[in-house]
Amino acid sequence: MISRTHALTALALLAVFGAGILLFATTGKSEKTPTVTRNALAQTSHVQGAPNRSLILSRVVIDPGASLASHHHLGPQVARIQSGVLRYTVLRGSVTVRRGESDANPVIVRKIKAGQTGSLHAGEWIVEQPSDIHQAANKTSKPVVIYLATLLKTGAPPATPVSPPSSR
């Protein structure tokens, strides 16, 4: 017959083992990979004065820990940070960071030149030209939300990956 001490020890071990399984089940799951999601909210390919071009309004959400590889856009793009903080690196070209409404004398916050990295905060915006090569990342614990207006050749991708320029 099993002694009372042995039975209590066995029950205690089962409880510890069960708690370990429960703890693993709630914390041992693999975390999802941070993603970047782009949604085209509106667009038209009937842009007066810009034949064969499409004007696209997009919303991009960058999860905490996610990054955007080196890229450029085949047409000009205006990007406004709605929420969060985006680490933005210019590899070639430069961008001027502005704050405020564009029709109400926006303030120039700073310029990010080739080889420099800066933070873009909610309410700030930039204009990227096709010659600007850049990359970005969300190094914070909250998502970054960006609204984009892009003028592209009809059918062109929203972003074109590039190899980072070599430093000579």
Side-chain angles (χ1 to χ4, degrees):
M1 210 177 213
I2 299 176
S3 73
R4 183 178 170 104
T5 306
H6 283 105
L8 288 174
T9 303
L11 281 173
L13 286 173
L14 275 172
V16 168
F17 181 71
I21 289 174
L22 182 61
L23 184 63
F24 179 78
T26 58
T27 62
K29 293 180 182 175
S30 63
E31 297 201 16
K32 82 172 196 175
T33 304
T35 59
V36 177
T37 306
R38 177 189 168 275
N39 298 100
L41 302 175
Q43 71 181 54
T44 183
S45 53
H46 302 288
V47 183
Q48 277 190 328
N52 304 314
R53 303 276 179 208
S54 292
L55 180 62
I56 305 142
L57 175 65
S58 304
R59 179 178 186 258
V60 174
V61 178
I62 304 171
D63 285 344
S67 60
L68 300 163
S70 302
H71 67 280
H72 73 114
H73 309 280
L74 297 175
Q77 175 170 276
V78 177
R80 183 181 192 279
I81 307 299
Q82 179 67 28
S83 62
V85 178
L86 183 70
R87 292 292 291 166
Y88 184 90
T89 301
V90 175
L91 302 170
R92 187 175 71 200
S94 67
V95 298
T96 301
V97 181
R98 293 178 170 87
R99 173 177 285 285
E101 304 298 319
S102 65
D103 60 353
N105 298 319
V107 174
I108 293 177
V109 177
R110 71 189 150 287
K111 191 166 196 167
I112 305 173
K113 298 177 182 177
Q116 295 179 334
T117 299
S119 293
L120 303 178
H121 300 266
E124 294 179 344
W125 54 277
I126 58 174
V127 177
E128 298 167 324
Q129 298 298 336
S131 58
D132 296 331
I133 297 176
H134 50 279
Q135 59 192 29
N138 180 355
K139 304 275 187 182
T140 72
S141 61
K142 296 181 179 176
V144 174
V145 178
I146 308 168
Y147 283 94
L148 308 170
T150 312
L151 182 64
L152 294 170
K153 186 173 186 180
T154 299
T160 302
V162 296
S163 298
S166 59
S167 54
R168 295 179 189 206

